[in-house]
Amino acid sequence: MEPIYTLKDIEVTLSKKFTLQVPQLALGKGQIHVVTGPNGAGKSTLLNCLALLRKPQVGSVQFAGHPVNGKTRQLLDLRRKITLVEQSPYLLQGTIQSNLAFGLKLRAISKEEQQQRITDALNRVGLKGFSIRSVKDLSGGEIQRVALARALVLRPEVLLLDEPTANIDADSMASFENLLLSLPATGMTIILSTHDQAQVLRLGGNLIVIENGLVQEKKAVPEP
């Protein structure tokens, strides 16, 4: 099967002291890929590169076998297939319903389908009945789950998650991880960063290790 991403000889320079380097990386479609490494290693930079939000100064990126050429129309089309949930996601003022509906309206999804997708997504992240809640009343963990639901309603081909469980309490961790594990069965590719080595083992999938900006290896995570 054609990889969803192929990166070759990538360099993303952020400062005189830091450059992300990816000699070669192929990420399989419909799988979980876990990016790990210490703080400042380059995990977020890699995710932004995969989200096509940061263009490498050197090297090539292919998405589903097609070169990413940087043309505006192509980038807009490809970005609609990819959703990035950041570690500290920004929610719009208003209700959870309005936040989840925002991207669907931009895609001209009918109101009936919007409601169905929103209901399904909130159920999946454990927030059934939360649609009329104001975002200002949410806890840190609830904000993270709303951000994930907002991503799920768009049904992206690739879901990128930057430290998605950093603000989730221990009681919610298992259900959140089970949700992530269920998504590849829908055909979605999951790429997430974490510094939690125990979580790496629980999620399995393919492991991408970054140290000092260098992607050092990619291998299957051993069974716990």
Side-chain angles (χ1 to χ4, degrees), residues 29 36 41 45 49 51 60 66 80 82 86 105 108 112 116 121 130 134 137 153 166 169 189 201-202 220:
K29 184 178 181 180
T36 187
T45 302
C49 184
S60 63
H66 301 287
R80 287 200 166 192
I82 305 164
E86 297 180 305
K105 290 177 180 178
E112 182 178 354
Q116 185 61 54
F130 272 55
S134 171
D137 297 327
V153 297
D169 60 84
T189 302
L201 294 174
R202 291 193 300 269

Side-chain angles (χ1 to χ4, degrees), residues 73-196:
R73 181 70 252 176
Q74 187 208 37
L75 283 177
L76 289 174
D77 290 342
L78 291 179
R79 283 172 181 165
R80 287 200 166 192
K81 300 179 180 182
I82 305 164
T83 299
L84 169 64
V85 179
E86 297 180 305
Q87 183 176 351
S88 300
Y90 174 78
L91 299 182
L92 302 172
Q93 292 185 355
T95 64
I96 293 175
Q97 172 88 17
S98 63
N99 270 268
L100 269 62
F102 182 77
L104 298 175
K105 290 177 180 178
L106 293 179
R107 289 162 173 76
I109 303 297
S110 69
K111 288 186 177 180
E112 182 178 354
E113 185 173 349
Q114 283 182 38
Q115 190 57 57
Q116 185 61 54
R117 289 194 188 192
I118 290 169
T119 299
D120 289 347
L122 289 177
N123 287 347
R124 296 196 75 175
V125 301
L127 295 178
K128 181 178 181 179
F130 272 55
S131 61
I132 62 172
R133 288 272 299 273
S134 171
V135 297
K136 65 182 178 62
D137 297 327
L138 300 177
S139 67
E142 288 169 343
I143 288 172
Q144 195 71 38
R145 285 191 280 171
V146 169
L148 177 58
R150 186 171 60 181
L152 293 178
V153 297
L154 301 178
R155 297 179 180 173
E157 292 184 27
V158 177
L159 179 60
L160 303 167
L161 302 161
D162 194 358
E163 301 279 0
T165 57
N167 296 314
I168 291 181
D169 60 84
D171 292 338
S172 303
M173 184 70 75
S175 61
F176 192 90
E177 290 178 350
N178 285 335
L179 170 60
L180 295 183
L181 289 168
S182 73
L183 294 176
T186 69
M188 195 179 297
T189 302
I190 311 300
I191 306 169
L192 67 121
S193 67
T194 183
H195 62 272
D196 183 346

